[in-house]
PDB file of all heavy atoms in Angstrom:
ATOM      1  N   ASN A   5       4.308   6.274 -11.053  1.00 98.00           N
ATOM      2  CA  ASN A   5       3.885   5.507 -12.229  1.00 98.00           C
ATOM      3  C   ASN A   5       3.102   4.278 -11.852  1.00 98.00           C
ATOM      4  O   ASN A   5       2.155   3.824 -12.493  1.00 98.00           O
ATOM      5  CB  ASN A   5       5.066   5.190 -13.096  1.00 98.00           C
ATOM      6  CG  ASN A   5       5.626   6.404 -13.773  1.00 98.00           C
ATOM      7  OD1 ASN A   5       4.895   7.374 -14.068  1.00 98.00           O
ATOM      8  ND2 ASN A   5       6.933   6.426 -14.058  1.00 98.00           N
ATOM      9  N   HIS A   6       3.604   3.534 -10.808  1.00 98.00           N
ATOM     10  CA  HIS A   6       2.962   2.302 -10.379  1.00 98.00           C
ATOM     11  C   HIS A   6       1.551   2.582  -9.831  1.00 98.00           C
ATOM     12  O   HIS A   6       0.615   1.919 -10.284  1.00 98.00           O
ATOM     13  CB  HIS A   6       3.769   1.568  -9.310  1.00 98.00           C
ATOM     14  CG  HIS A   6       3.122   0.352  -8.804  1.00 98.00           C
ATOM     15  ND1 HIS A   6       3.302  -0.900  -9.404  1.00 98.00           N
ATOM     16  CD2 HIS A   6       2.253   0.141  -7.814  1.00 98.00           C
ATOM     17  CE1 HIS A   6       2.597  -1.792  -8.779  1.00 98.00           C
ATOM     18  NE2 HIS A   6       1.879  -1.199  -7.791  1.00 98.00           N
ATOM     19  N   VAL A   7       1.465   3.544  -8.936  1.00 98.00           N
ATOM     20  CA  VAL A   7       0.134   3.787  -8.344  1.00 98.00           C
ATOM     21  C   VAL A   7      -0.846   4.365  -9.426  1.00 98.00           C
ATOM     22  O   VAL A   7      -2.042   3.960  -9.452  1.00 98.00           O
ATOM     23  CB  VAL A   7       0.233   4.728  -7.191  1.00 98.00           C
ATOM     24  CG1 VAL A   7      -1.135   5.159  -6.601  1.00 98.00           C
ATOM     25  CG2 VAL A   7       1.133   4.150  -6.111  1.00 98.00           C
ATOM     26  N   HIS A   8      -0.269   5.198 -10.284  1.00 98.00           N
ATOM     27  CA  HIS A   8      -1.144   5.806 -11.343  1.00 98.00           C
ATOM     28  C   HIS A   8      -1.722   4.779 -12.261  1.00 98.00           C
ATOM     29  O   HIS A   8      -2.901   4.878 -12.649  1.00 98.00           O
ATOM     30  CB  HIS A   8      -0.351   6.766 -12.154  1.00 98.00           C
ATOM     31  CG  HIS A   8      -1.107   7.525 -13.234  1.00 98.00           C
ATOM     32  ND1 HIS A   8      -1.951   8.557 -12.865  1.00 98.00           N
ATOM     33  CD2 HIS A   8      -1.192   7.363 -14.588  1.00 98.00           C
ATOM     34  CE1 HIS A   8      -2.480   9.015 -14.026  1.00 98.00           C
ATOM     35  NE2 HIS A   8      -2.112   8.284 -15.007  1.00 98.00           N
ATOM     36  N   THR A   9      -0.978   3.774 -12.598  1.00 97.00           N
ATOM     37  CA  THR A   9      -1.459   2.740 -13.514  1.00 97.00           C
ATOM     38  C   THR A   9      -2.214   1.567 -12.796  1.00 97.00           C
ATOM     39  O   THR A   9      -2.692   0.647 -13.463  1.00 97.00           O
ATOM     40  CB  THR A   9      -0.307   2.177 -14.358  1.00 97.00           C
ATOM     41  OG1 THR A   9       0.722   1.672 -13.518  1.00 97.00           O
ATOM     42  CG2 THR A   9       0.259   3.245 -15.266  1.00 97.00           C
ATOM     43  N   ASN A  10      -2.249   1.628 -11.503  1.00 98.00           N
ATOM     44  CA  ASN A  10      -2.969   0.609 -10.747  1.00 98.00           C
ATOM     45  C   ASN A  10      -3.963   1.221  -9.738  1.00 98.00           C
ATOM     46  O   ASN A  10      -3.987   0.926  -8.610  1.00 98.00           O
ATOM     47  CB  ASN A  10      -1.948  -0.308  -9.968  1.00 98.00           C
ATOM     48  CG  ASN A  10      -1.132  -1.111 -10.962  1.00 98.00           C
ATOM     49  OD1 ASN A  10      -1.507  -2.166 -11.376  1.00 98.00           O
ATOM     50  ND2 ASN A  10       0.125  -0.565 -11.241  1.00 98.00           N
ATOM     51  N   ALA A  11      -4.747   2.182 -10.250  1.00 98.00           N
ATOM     52  CA  ALA A  11      -5.623   2.928  -9.391  1.00 98.00           C
ATOM     53  C   ALA A  11      -6.700   2.025  -8.789  1.00 98.00           C
ATOM     54  O   ALA A  11      -7.119   1.073  -9.392  1.00 98.00           O
ATOM     55  CB  ALA A  11      -6.289   4.013 -10.208  1.00 98.00           C
ATOM     56  N   GLU A  12      -7.121   2.388  -7.551  1.00 98.00           N
ATOM     57  CA  GLU A  12      -8.146   1.607  -6.871  1.00 98.00           C
ATOM     58  C   GLU A  12      -9.115   2.563  -6.159  1.00 98.00           C
ATOM     59  O   GLU A  12      -8.779   3.666  -5.769  1.00 98.00           O
ATOM     60  CB  GLU A  12      -7.529   0.665  -5.854  1.00 98.00           C
ATOM     61  CG  GLU A  12      -6.691  -0.441  -6.386  1.00 98.00           C
ATOM     62  CD  GLU A  12      -6.043  -1.294  -5.322  1.00 98.00           C
ATOM     63  OE1 GLU A  12      -5.235  -0.786  -4.514  1.00 98.00           O
ATOM     64  OE2 GLU A  12      -6.408  -2.473  -5.228  1.00 98.00           O
ATOM     65  N   LEU A  13     -10.373   2.058  -6.104  1.00 98.00           N
ATOM     66  CA  LEU A  13     -11.444   2.959  -5.572  1.00 98.00           C
ATOM     67  C   LEU A  13     -11.397   2.972  -4.075  1.00 98.00           C
ATOM     68  O   LEU A  13     -10.696   2.213  -3.381  1.00 98.00           O
ATOM     69  CB  LEU A  13     -12.829   2.391  -6.034  1.00 98.00           C
ATOM     70  CG  LEU A  13     -13.021   2.329  -7.534  1.00 98.00           C
ATOM     71  CD1 LEU A  13     -14.398   1.739  -7.847  1.00 98.00           C
ATOM     72  CD2 LEU A  13     -12.914   3.709  -8.159  1.00 98.00           C
ATOM     73  N   SER A  14     -12.180   3.906  -3.547  1.00 97.00           N
ATOM     74  CA  SER A  14     -12.206   4.103  -2.035  1.00 97.00           C
ATOM     75  C   SER A  14     -12.587   2.818  -1.314  1.00 97.00           C
ATOM     76  O   SER A  14     -13.583   2.126  -1.724  1.00 97.00           O
ATOM     77  CB  SER A  14     -13.252   5.185  -1.683  1.00 97.00           C
ATOM     78  OG  SER A  14     -12.953   6.367  -2.384  1.00 97.00           O
ATOM     79  N   ASN A  15     -11.836   2.547  -0.230  1.00 98.00           N
ATOM     80  CA  ASN A  15     -12.058   1.359   0.586  1.00 98.00           C
ATOM     81  C   ASN A  15     -11.705   0.049  -0.109  1.00 98.00           C
ATOM     82  O   ASN A  15     -11.976  -1.058   0.401  1.00 98.00           O
ATOM     83  CB  ASN A  15     -13.453   1.278   1.148  1.00 98.00           C
ATOM     84  CG  ASN A  15     -13.739   2.418   2.076  1.00 98.00           C
ATOM     85  OD1 ASN A  15     -12.978   2.746   2.978  1.00 98.00           O
ATOM     86  ND2 ASN A  15     -14.919   3.077   1.903  1.00 98.00           N
ATOM     87  N   GLU A  16     -11.136   0.147  -1.327  1.00 98.00           N
ATOM     88  CA  GLU A  16     -10.736  -1.003  -2.095  1.00 98.00           C
ATOM     89  C   GLU A  16      -9.221  -0.968  -2.445  1.00 98.00           C
ATOM     90  O   GLU A  16      -8.802  -1.638  -3.280  1.00 98.00           O
ATOM     91  CB  GLU A  16     -11.546  -1.170  -3.349  1.00 98.00           C
ATOM     92  CG  GLU A  16     -13.076  -1.336  -3.157  1.00 98.00           C
ATOM     93  CD  GLU A  16     -13.835  -1.344  -4.492  1.00 98.00           C
ATOM     94  OE1 GLU A  16     -13.229  -1.502  -5.551  1.00 98.00           O
ATOM     95  OE2 GLU A  16     -15.085  -1.238  -4.382  1.00 98.00           O
ATOM     96  N   GLU A  17      -8.468  -0.141  -1.731  1.00 98.00           N
ATOM     97  CA  GLU A  17      -7.087   0.082  -2.017  1.00 98.00           C
ATOM     98  C   GLU A  17      -6.180  -1.006  -1.482  1.00 98.00           C
ATOM     99  O   GLU A  17      -5.159  -0.705  -0.780  1.00 98.00           O
ATOM    100  CB  GLU A  17      -6.622   1.449  -1.399  1.00 98.00           C
ATOM    101  CG  GLU A  17      -7.592   2.620  -1.764  1.00 98.00           C
ATOM    102  CD  GLU A  17      -8.609   2.857  -0.633  1.00 98.00           C
ATOM    103  OE1 GLU A  17      -8.905   1.902   0.063  1.00 98.00           O
ATOM    104  OE2 GLU A  17      -8.990   3.987  -0.425  1.00 98.00           O
ATOM    105  N   TYR A  18      -6.464  -2.245  -1.716  1.00 98.00           N
ATOM    106  CA  TYR A  18      -5.767  -3.401  -1.191  1.00 98.00           C
ATOM    107  C   TYR A  18      -4.406  -3.467  -1.821  1.00 98.00           C
ATOM    108  O   TYR A  18      -3.358  -3.635  -1.097  1.00 98.00           O
ATOM    109  CB  TYR A  18      -6.541  -4.671  -1.399  1.00 98.00           C
ATOM    110  CG  TYR A  18      -7.917  -4.698  -0.743  1.00 98.00           C
ATOM    111  CD1 TYR A  18      -9.064  -4.550  -1.484  1.00 98.00           C
ATOM    112  CD2 TYR A  18      -8.048  -4.747   0.639  1.00 98.00           C
ATOM    113  CE1 TYR A  18     -10.291  -4.542  -0.898  1.00 98.00           C
ATOM    114  CE2 TYR A  18      -9.264  -4.733   1.257  1.00 98.00           C
ATOM    115  CZ  TYR A  18     -10.419  -4.595   0.467  1.00 98.00           C
ATOM    116  OH  TYR A  18     -11.653  -4.568   1.061  1.00 98.00           O
ATOM    117  N   LYS A  19      -4.313  -3.441  -3.130  1.00 98.00           N
ATOM    118  CA  LYS A  19      -3.054  -3.586  -3.816  1.00 98.00           C
ATOM    119  C   LYS A  19      -2.198  -2.308  -3.578  1.00 98.00           C
ATOM    120  O   LYS A  19      -0.976  -2.424  -3.430  1.00 98.00           O
ATOM    121  CB  LYS A  19      -3.261  -3.846  -5.267  1.00 98.00           C
ATOM    122  CG  LYS A  19      -3.901  -5.193  -5.570  1.00 98.00           C
ATOM    123  CD  LYS A  19      -4.069  -5.383  -7.083  1.00 98.00           C
ATOM    124  CE  LYS A  19      -4.733  -6.736  -7.433  1.00 98.00           C
ATOM    125  NZ  LYS A  19      -4.939  -6.930  -8.850  1.00 98.00           N
ATOM    126  N   THR A  20      -2.846  -1.158  -3.489  1.00 98.00           N
ATOM    127  CA  THR A  20      -2.082   0.036  -3.204  1.00 98.00           C
ATOM    128  C   THR A  20      -1.412   0.018  -1.853  1.00 98.00           C
ATOM    129  O   THR A  20      -0.261   0.374  -1.634  1.00 98.00           O
ATOM    130  CB  THR A  20      -2.994   1.280  -3.312  1.00 98.00           C
ATOM    131  OG1 THR A  20      -3.623   1.349  -4.619  1.00 98.00           O
ATOM    132  CG2 THR A  20      -2.217   2.592  -3.091  1.00 98.00           C
ATOM    133  N   THR A  21      -2.242  -0.468  -0.877  1.00 98.00           N
ATOM    134  CA  THR A  21      -1.696  -0.626   0.475  1.00 98.00           C
ATOM    135  C   THR A  21      -0.552  -1.581   0.463  1.00 98.00           C
ATOM    136  O   THR A  21       0.513  -1.349   1.132  1.00 98.00           O
ATOM    137  CB  THR A  21      -2.810  -1.162   1.396  1.00 98.00           C
ATOM    138  OG1 THR A  21      -3.878  -0.188   1.471  1.00 98.00           O
ATOM    139  CG2 THR A  21      -2.299  -1.354   2.855  1.00 98.00           C
ATOM    140  N   ASP A  22      -0.647  -2.702  -0.167  1.00 98.00           N
ATOM    141  CA  ASP A  22       0.413  -3.690  -0.213  1.00 98.00           C
ATOM    142  C   ASP A  22       1.632  -3.173  -0.891  1.00 98.00           C
ATOM    143  O   ASP A  22       2.800  -3.383  -0.465  1.00 98.00           O
ATOM    144  CB  ASP A  22      -0.112  -4.989  -0.974  1.00 98.00           C
ATOM    145  CG  ASP A  22      -1.098  -5.807  -0.157  1.00 98.00           C
ATOM    146  OD1 ASP A  22      -1.191  -5.554   1.108  1.00 98.00           O
ATOM    147  OD2 ASP A  22      -1.749  -6.619  -0.710  1.00 98.00           O
ATOM    148  N   TYR A  23       1.460  -2.418  -1.970  1.00 98.00           N
ATOM    149  CA  TYR A  23       2.597  -1.861  -2.672  1.00 98.00           C
ATOM    150  C   TYR A  23       3.347  -0.916  -1.801  1.00 98.00           C
ATOM    151  O   TYR A  23       4.574  -0.936  -1.686  1.00 98.00           O
ATOM    152  CB  TYR A  23       2.113  -1.144  -3.936  1.00 98.00           C
ATOM    153  CG  TYR A  23       3.251  -0.399  -4.665  1.00 98.00           C
ATOM    154  CD1 TYR A  23       4.176  -1.066  -5.472  1.00 98.00           C
ATOM    155  CD2 TYR A  23       3.432   1.009  -4.528  1.00 98.00           C
ATOM    156  CE1 TYR A  23       5.218  -0.447  -6.074  1.00 98.00           C
ATOM    157  CE2 TYR A  23       4.439   1.622  -5.146  1.00 98.00           C
ATOM    158  CZ  TYR A  23       5.338   0.933  -5.952  1.00 98.00           C
ATOM    159  OH  TYR A  23       6.395   1.585  -6.517  1.00 98.00           O
ATOM    160  N   ILE A  24       2.674   0.058  -1.176  1.00 98.00           N
ATOM    161  CA  ILE A  24       3.352   0.991  -0.297  1.00 98.00           C
ATOM    162  C   ILE A  24       4.038   0.264   0.829  1.00 98.00           C
ATOM    163  O   ILE A  24       5.202   0.614   1.204  1.00 98.00           O
ATOM    164  CB  ILE A  24       2.322   2.007   0.247  1.00 98.00           C
ATOM    165  CG1 ILE A  24       1.707   2.813  -0.852  1.00 98.00           C
ATOM    166  CG2 ILE A  24       3.009   2.937   1.303  1.00 98.00           C
ATOM    167  CD1 ILE A  24       0.543   3.703  -0.378  1.00 98.00           C
ATOM    168  N   TYR A  25       3.309  -0.696   1.463  1.00 98.00           N
ATOM    169  CA  TYR A  25       3.981  -1.482   2.578  1.00 98.00           C
ATOM    170  C   TYR A  25       5.234  -2.178   2.166  1.00 98.00           C
ATOM    171  O   TYR A  25       6.269  -2.034   2.886  1.00 98.00           O
ATOM    172  CB  TYR A  25       2.888  -2.491   3.014  1.00 98.00           C
ATOM    173  CG  TYR A  25       3.330  -3.329   4.201  1.00 98.00           C
ATOM    174  CD1 TYR A  25       3.151  -2.948   5.477  1.00 98.00           C
ATOM    175  CD2 TYR A  25       3.956  -4.585   3.997  1.00 98.00           C
ATOM    176  CE1 TYR A  25       3.584  -3.739   6.588  1.00 98.00           C
ATOM    177  CE2 TYR A  25       4.378  -5.392   5.024  1.00 98.00           C
ATOM    178  CZ  TYR A  25       4.156  -4.928   6.348  1.00 98.00           C
ATOM    179  OH  TYR A  25       4.545  -5.720   7.337  1.00 98.00           O
ATOM    180  N   GLU A  26       5.184  -2.822   1.030  1.00 98.00           N
ATOM    181  CA  GLU A  26       6.381  -3.608   0.595  1.00 98.00           C
ATOM    182  C   GLU A  26       7.526  -2.626   0.173  1.00 98.00           C
ATOM    183  O   GLU A  26       8.696  -2.896   0.464  1.00 98.00           O
ATOM    184  CB  GLU A  26       6.004  -4.528  -0.597  1.00 98.00           C
ATOM    185  CG  GLU A  26       5.104  -5.631  -0.184  1.00 98.00           C
ATOM    186  CD  GLU A  26       5.672  -6.560   0.888  1.00 98.00           C
ATOM    187  OE1 GLU A  26       6.883  -6.645   0.984  1.00 98.00           O
ATOM    188  OE2 GLU A  26       4.902  -7.126   1.655  1.00 98.00           O
ATOM    189  N   PHE A  27       7.187  -1.511  -0.433  1.00 98.00           N
ATOM    190  CA  PHE A  27       8.217  -0.533  -0.849  1.00 98.00           C
ATOM    191  C   PHE A  27       8.941  -0.009   0.389  1.00 98.00           C
ATOM    192  O   PHE A  27      10.144   0.128   0.442  1.00 98.00           O
ATOM    193  CB  PHE A  27       7.587   0.587  -1.633  1.00 98.00           C
ATOM    194  CG  PHE A  27       8.542   1.607  -2.154  1.00 98.00           C
ATOM    195  CD1 PHE A  27       9.153   1.442  -3.415  1.00 98.00           C
ATOM    196  CD2 PHE A  27       8.968   2.674  -1.339  1.00 98.00           C
ATOM    197  CE1 PHE A  27      10.106   2.381  -3.877  1.00 98.00           C
ATOM    198  CE2 PHE A  27       9.907   3.581  -1.776  1.00 98.00           C
ATOM    199  CZ  PHE A  27      10.425   3.444  -3.042  1.00 98.00           C
ATOM    200  N   LEU A  28       8.138   0.366   1.414  1.00 98.00           N
ATOM    201  CA  LEU A  28       8.709   0.928   2.659  1.00 98.00           C
ATOM    202  C   LEU A  28       9.601  -0.104   3.352  1.00 98.00           C
ATOM    203  O   LEU A  28      10.643   0.262   3.887  1.00 98.00           O
ATOM    204  CB  LEU A  28       7.620   1.462   3.539  1.00 98.00           C
ATOM    205  CG  LEU A  28       6.856   2.676   2.993  1.00 98.00           C
ATOM    206  CD1 LEU A  28       5.770   3.152   4.012  1.00 98.00           C
ATOM    207  CD2 LEU A  28       7.756   3.837   2.640  1.00 98.00           C
ATOM    208  N   LYS A  29       9.071  -1.331   3.352  1.00 98.00           N
ATOM    209  CA  LYS A  29       9.894  -2.440   4.019  1.00 98.00           C
ATOM    210  C   LYS A  29      11.250  -2.526   3.322  1.00 98.00           C
ATOM    211  O   LYS A  29      12.287  -2.675   3.946  1.00 98.00           O
ATOM    212  CB  LYS A  29       9.118  -3.726   3.939  1.00 98.00           C
ATOM    213  CG  LYS A  29       7.897  -3.786   4.784  1.00 98.00           C
ATOM    214  CD  LYS A  29       8.240  -4.063   6.308  1.00 98.00           C
ATOM    215  CE  LYS A  29       8.624  -5.482   6.545  1.00 98.00           C
ATOM    216  NZ  LYS A  29       8.820  -5.775   8.006  1.00 98.00           N
ATOM    217  N   THR A  30      11.223  -2.500   1.976  1.00 97.00           N
ATOM    218  CA  THR A  30      12.409  -2.590   1.171  1.00 97.00           C
ATOM    219  C   THR A  30      13.397  -1.468   1.476  1.00 97.00           C
ATOM    220  O   THR A  30      14.650  -1.662   1.474  1.00 97.00           O
ATOM    221  CB  THR A  30      12.108  -2.596  -0.293  1.00 97.00           C
ATOM    222  OG1 THR A  30      11.242  -3.719  -0.605  1.00 97.00           O
ATOM    223  CG2 THR A  30      13.388  -2.754  -1.165  1.00 97.00           C
ATOM    224  N   GLU A  31      12.825  -0.272   1.816  1.00 97.00           N
ATOM    225  CA  GLU A  31      13.671   0.856   2.102  1.00 97.00           C
ATOM    226  C   GLU A  31      14.140   0.935   3.574  1.00 97.00           C
ATOM    227  O   GLU A  31      14.733   1.939   3.986  1.00 97.00           O
ATOM    228  CB  GLU A  31      12.915   2.172   1.712  1.00 97.00           C
ATOM    229  CG  GLU A  31      12.669   2.317   0.254  1.00 97.00           C
ATOM    230  CD  GLU A  31      13.985   2.553  -0.568  1.00 97.00           C
ATOM    231  OE1 GLU A  31      14.906   3.125  -0.027  1.00 97.00           O
ATOM    232  OE2 GLU A  31      14.012   2.180  -1.732  1.00 97.00           O
ATOM    233  N   GLY A  32      13.760  -0.021   4.341  1.00 97.00           N
ATOM    234  CA  GLY A  32      14.241  -0.100   5.741  1.00 97.00           C
ATOM    235  C   GLY A  32      13.273   0.515   6.760  1.00 97.00           C
ATOM    236  O   GLY A  32      13.653   0.633   7.912  1.00 97.00           O
ATOM    237  N   PHE A  33      12.070   0.800   6.337  1.00 98.00           N
ATOM    238  CA  PHE A  33      11.103   1.348   7.274  1.00 98.00           C
ATOM    239  C   PHE A  33      10.282   0.147   7.921  1.00 98.00           C
ATOM    240  O   PHE A  33      10.412  -0.996   7.487  1.00 98.00           O
ATOM    241  CB  PHE A  33      10.141   2.308   6.565  1.00 98.00           C
ATOM    242  CG  PHE A  33      10.741   3.550   6.060  1.00 98.00           C
ATOM    243  CD1 PHE A  33      11.178   3.695   4.753  1.00 98.00           C
ATOM    244  CD2 PHE A  33      10.946   4.593   6.948  1.00 98.00           C
ATOM    245  CE1 PHE A  33      11.755   4.832   4.314  1.00 98.00           C
ATOM    246  CE2 PHE A  33      11.549   5.792   6.454  1.00 98.00           C
ATOM    247  CZ  PHE A  33      11.971   5.928   5.141  1.00 98.00           C
ATOM    248  N   GLU A  34       9.491   0.465   8.897  1.00 98.00           N
ATOM    249  CA  GLU A  34       8.661  -0.560   9.585  1.00 98.00           C
ATOM    250  C   GLU A  34       7.187  -0.078   9.535  1.00 98.00           C
ATOM    251  O   GLU A  34       6.631   0.385  10.540  1.00 98.00           O
ATOM    252  CB  GLU A  34       9.122  -0.722  11.037  1.00 98.00           C
ATOM    253  CG  GLU A  34      10.552  -1.274  11.128  1.00 98.00           C
ATOM    254  CD  GLU A  34      10.964  -1.457  12.552  1.00 98.00           C
ATOM    255  OE1 GLU A  34      10.183  -1.201  13.481  1.00 98.00           O
ATOM    256  OE2 GLU A  34      12.166  -1.897  12.812  1.00 98.00           O
ATOM    257  N   PRO A  35       6.556  -0.166   8.372  1.00 98.00           N
ATOM    258  CA  PRO A  35       5.144   0.250   8.209  1.00 98.00           C
ATOM    259  C   PRO A  35       4.201  -0.685   8.964  1.00 98.00           C
ATOM    260  O   PRO A  35       4.509  -1.842   9.239  1.00 98.00           O
ATOM    261  CB  PRO A  35       4.955   0.212   6.738  1.00 98.00           C
ATOM    262  CG  PRO A  35       5.909  -0.855   6.289  1.00 98.00           C
ATOM    263  CD  PRO A  35       7.129  -0.721   7.119  1.00 98.00           C
ATOM    264  N   VAL A  36       3.038  -0.116   9.286  1.00 98.00           N
ATOM    265  CA  VAL A  36       2.022  -0.932  10.014  1.00 98.00           C
ATOM    266  C   VAL A  36       0.684  -0.748   9.263  1.00 98.00           C
ATOM    267  O   VAL A  36       0.233   0.392   9.071  1.00 98.00           O
ATOM    268  CB  VAL A  36       1.860  -0.461  11.476  1.00 98.00           C
ATOM    269  CG1 VAL A  36       0.758  -1.335  12.153  1.00 98.00           C
ATOM    270  CG2 VAL A  36       3.157  -0.617  12.201  1.00 98.00           C
ATOM    271  N   LYS A  37       0.077  -1.818   8.824  1.00 98.00           N
ATOM    272  CA  LYS A  37      -1.207  -1.714   8.170  1.00 98.00           C
ATOM    273  C   LYS A  37      -2.299  -1.430   9.232  1.00 98.00           C
ATOM    274  O   LYS A  37      -2.232  -1.943  10.309  1.00 98.00           O
ATOM    275  CB  LYS A  37      -1.552  -3.004   7.410  1.00 98.00           C
ATOM    276  CG  LYS A  37      -0.625  -3.253   6.248  1.00 98.00           C
ATOM    277  CD  LYS A  37      -1.026  -4.543   5.492  1.00 98.00           C
ATOM    278  CE  LYS A  37      -0.160  -4.790   4.283  1.00 98.00           C
ATOM    279  NZ  LYS A  37      -0.497  -6.027   3.539  1.00 98.00           N
ATOM    280  N   PHE A  38      -3.292  -0.672   8.808  1.00 98.00           N
ATOM    281  CA  PHE A  38      -4.451  -0.465   9.711  1.00 98.00           C
ATOM    282  C   PHE A  38      -5.179  -1.753   9.963  1.00 98.00           C
ATOM    283  O   PHE A  38      -5.202  -2.647   9.143  1.00 98.00           O
ATOM    284  CB  PHE A  38      -5.380   0.580   9.113  1.00 98.00           C
ATOM    285  CG  PHE A  38      -4.822   1.972   9.050  1.00 98.00           C
ATOM    286  CD1 PHE A  38      -4.801   2.713   7.879  1.00 98.00           C
ATOM    287  CD2 PHE A  38      -4.248   2.543  10.200  1.00 98.00           C
ATOM    288  CE1 PHE A  38      -4.328   4.005   7.849  1.00 98.00           C
ATOM    289  CE2 PHE A  38      -3.697   3.801  10.165  1.00 98.00           C
ATOM    290  CZ  PHE A  38      -3.756   4.565   8.949  1.00 98.00           C
ATOM    291  N   LYS A  39      -5.795  -1.826  11.116  1.00 97.00           N
ATOM    292  CA  LYS A  39      -6.458  -3.102  11.563  1.00 97.00           C
ATOM    293  C   LYS A  39      -7.820  -3.376  10.859  1.00 97.00           C
ATOM    294  O   LYS A  39      -8.156  -4.459  10.423  1.00 97.00           O
ATOM    295  CB  LYS A  39      -6.669  -3.097  13.079  1.00 97.00           C
ATOM    296  CG  LYS A  39      -5.398  -3.063  13.858  1.00 97.00           C
ATOM    297  CD  LYS A  39      -5.739  -2.969  15.382  1.00 97.00           C
ATOM    298  CE  LYS A  39      -4.415  -2.889  16.186  1.00 97.00           C
ATOM    299  NZ  LYS A  39      -4.739  -2.785  17.658  1.00 97.00           N
ATOM    300  N   ASN A  40      -8.567  -2.311  10.671  1.00 97.00           N
ATOM    301  CA  ASN A  40      -9.969  -2.464  10.206  1.00 97.00           C
ATOM    302  C   ASN A  40     -10.253  -1.828   8.855  1.00 97.00           C
ATOM    303  O   ASN A  40     -11.375  -1.935   8.331  1.00 97.00           O
ATOM    304  CB  ASN A  40     -10.930  -1.821  11.257  1.00 97.00           C
ATOM    305  CG  ASN A  40     -10.744  -2.472  12.635  1.00 97.00           C
ATOM    306  OD1 ASN A  40     -10.883  -3.679  12.815  1.00 97.00           O
ATOM    307  ND2 ASN A  40     -10.444  -1.652  13.646  1.00 97.00           N
ATOM    308  N   ILE A  41      -9.283  -1.176   8.289  1.00 98.00           N
ATOM    309  CA  ILE A  41      -9.493  -0.525   7.018  1.00 98.00           C
ATOM    310  C   ILE A  41      -8.238  -0.698   6.130  1.00 98.00           C
ATOM    311  O   ILE A  41      -7.200  -1.191   6.643  1.00 98.00           O
ATOM    312  CB  ILE A  41      -9.785   1.009   7.162  1.00 98.00           C
ATOM    313  CG1 ILE A  41      -8.615   1.657   7.979  1.00 98.00           C
ATOM    314  CG2 ILE A  41     -11.056   1.261   7.886  1.00 98.00           C
ATOM    315  CD1 ILE A  41      -8.702   3.197   8.111  1.00 98.00           C
TER     316      ILE A  41
END
């Protein structure tokens, strides 16, 4: 529901990336953002 209502275009998925990152951190994972994309 969150991603569906906050869709982002190709190479502009900044908020989507942040959302997934923060969700995984909250669940105890150790995500790593890509360096150049």
Side-chain angles (χ1 to χ4, degrees):
N5 289 334
H6 178 89
V7 177
H8 183 77
T9 55
N10 293 276
E12 294 179 295
L13 301 179
S14 303
N15 295 312
E16 299 177 13
E17 311 95 331
Y18 300 106
K19 293 180 180 179
T20 303
T21 299
D22 288 342
Y23 173 78
I24 297 170
Y25 180 88
E26 294 300 332
F27 183 92
L28 294 179
K29 291 281 285 186
T30 301
E31 293 293 331
F33 294 98
E34 298 181 2
V36 179
K37 293 182 180 180
F38 291 128
K39 296 177 181 178
N40 303 302
I41 56 175

